[in-house]
Each structure stands twice: as structure tokens, then as C-alpha cells.
Amino acid sequence: MDHTPIPSDDHPSFEAALTRLQEIVQHLEDDRLDLEASILAYEEGLKLARYCLEQLRTAELRIQQLSLDGEDHPESPD
């Protein structure tokens, strides 16, 4: 699987990347772009989708780690 990162000088938040991805999808669905613009938009959208997926995977791993840490140190009942 290709792990194409967002360019190093452009690290949008997950929310900003998702919003931009939704905009791209809307433009592509409107069918108002010429072929070259559609290809460029698709490429950008693909990079953003991969970025968002990687962010979600990272968050999921963090949550799993926190859950495991909580199991190792159960709170004592009062």
C-alpha cells in the first residue's frame, strides 16, 4: 500500500483535510471540471484520503494503547 504523505510543509489537521476532501468530491460530482483539472483534483483527493486514513489509524492505536494501559493498572474500588 502506498503511504503518500501530505507534503512536509503542509500538515493540515484531520478536520481540515477531511473538509478539503469533501470539497474535492463535490467538485468531481458536479462534473464541471475539465479532464486535466479532474485528474489533479482526484490526485489531491487520494493523498488527502490516505492522510486521513493514516490519522485515524494512529488515533485508533493510541486509544488501544490507552485501553491496555488501563487494564494493567486497575483502579482500586473505594
Side-chain angles (χ1 to χ4, degrees):
M1 179 156 113
D2 183 19
H3 292 285
T4 306
I6 297 295
S8 60
D9 60 340
D10 184 19
H11 293 287
S13 68
F14 173 81
E15 293 79 6
L18 188 58
T19 298
R20 178 64 184 140
L21 182 57
Q22 290 169 335
E23 291 171 356
I24 291 169
V25 169
Q26 186 62 48
H27 286 299
L28 289 170
E29 287 177 344
D30 287 346
D31 200 29
R32 295 183 186 173
L33 301 175
D34 64 22
L35 179 60
E36 185 62 26
S38 293
I39 291 169
L40 291 173
Y42 181 81
E43 288 175 345
E44 182 184 358
L46 192 57
K47 288 178 183 179
L48 288 166
R50 289 178 177 151
Y51 174 79
C52 288
L53 182 59
E54 191 62 35
Q55 294 297 307
L56 289 172
R57 287 181 179 155
T58 299
E60 182 179 25
L61 289 173
R62 288 175 63 193
I63 290 168
Q64 287 175 355
Q65 185 62 46
L66 289 170
S67 295
L68 289 175
D69 288 347
E71 289 177 7
D72 292 342
H73 306 289
E75 293 185 25
S76 59
D78 290 334

